[in-house]
Amino acid sequence: MKKIIIGSDHGGFVLKGIVCRYLKENGYEVEDAGTYSSDSCDYPVIAKQVAQKVSNGTYERGILICGTGLGMAITANKFRNVRAVTCTDTCSARMSRLHNDANILCLGERITGEYLAMDIVDIWLNTGFSGGRHQKRVDMIED
Ligand code: RB5
């Protein structure tokens, strides 16, 4: 079974619910790392929960949602082997998989509407990494 971990702060809480539903309907086993209410909380705490488990290989992919998708990506990219990208359009979502082998998708609930966000999620989850010359470049990130 495909499995994925997802998290949000209060700014991404509503969109997280929508994305979770989509994932489950599409056969994913989903770990929801919080937050579990719309009460204000600190995005780095949630980003750490998700990024650690992608970093150590527990999950191949994760999704993080905050108001803008920015703080989540900044935090997640502190972790080894994490390649987190904030996407606000479908082309970036596709290219982040093809060329960068992005393993965490960050979304901004206050930036991207629900329909576009779901297209971004769908494309990001279903696009493979090109490998080849891009593998060498991705390896260079960790070096
Ligand atoms: C919370 O108000 C907001 O700062 C947060 O959701 C996110 O946008 C940070 O990057």
Side-chain angles (χ1 to χ4, degrees):
M1 187 185 215
K2 302 177 282 188
K3 57 176 198 164
I4 193 161
I5 184 165
I6 187 167
S8 80
D9 70 354
H10 56 288
F13 180 66
V14 173
L15 185 57
K16 175 164 69 72
I18 294 166
V19 174
C20 274
R21 201 160 51 243
Y22 164 91
L23 292 168
K24 288 174 186 165
E25 282 170 6
N26 283 275
Y28 283 84
E29 180 186 307
V30 182
E31 178 176 340
D32 183 350
T35 187
Y36 304 112
S37 81
S38 54
D39 294 347
S40 183
C41 67
D42 300 321
Y43 64 81
V45 173
I46 303 293
K48 182 179 174 187
Q49 300 298 321
V50 170
Q52 270 181 335
K53 289 191 174 177
V54 172
S55 179
N56 69 20
T58 305
Y59 291 92
E60 280 182 23
R61 306 265 206 111
I63 296 177
L64 282 166
I65 310 174
C66 60
T68 59
L70 299 176
M72 289 296 198
I74 292 168
T75 311
N77 278 318
K78 300 287 183 192
F79 291 78
R80 181 160 280 278
N81 300 318
V82 166
R83 293 176 297 281
V85 287
T86 304
C87 292
T88 56
D89 67 278
T90 52
C91 182
S92 299
R94 182 178 293 105
M95 296 311 295
S96 79
R97 290 290 311 132
L98 286 171
H99 285 193
N100 312 112
D101 199 16
N103 50 17
I104 295 186
L105 172 66
C106 301
L107 297 169
E109 181 184 309
R110 296 172 184 159
I111 304 290
T112 306
E114 174 187 332
Y115 283 11
L116 177 55
M118 296 318 299
D119 275 355
I120 289 170
V121 168
D122 192 48
I123 287 167
W124 190 80
L125 288 172
N126 293 303
T127 303
F129 178 45
S130 296
R133 68 184 187 281
H134 299 292
Q135 182 65 61
K136 182 189 80 173
R137 293 166 183 159
V138 166
D139 292 342
M140 287 169 75
I141 298 170
E142 289 303 315
D143 291 346

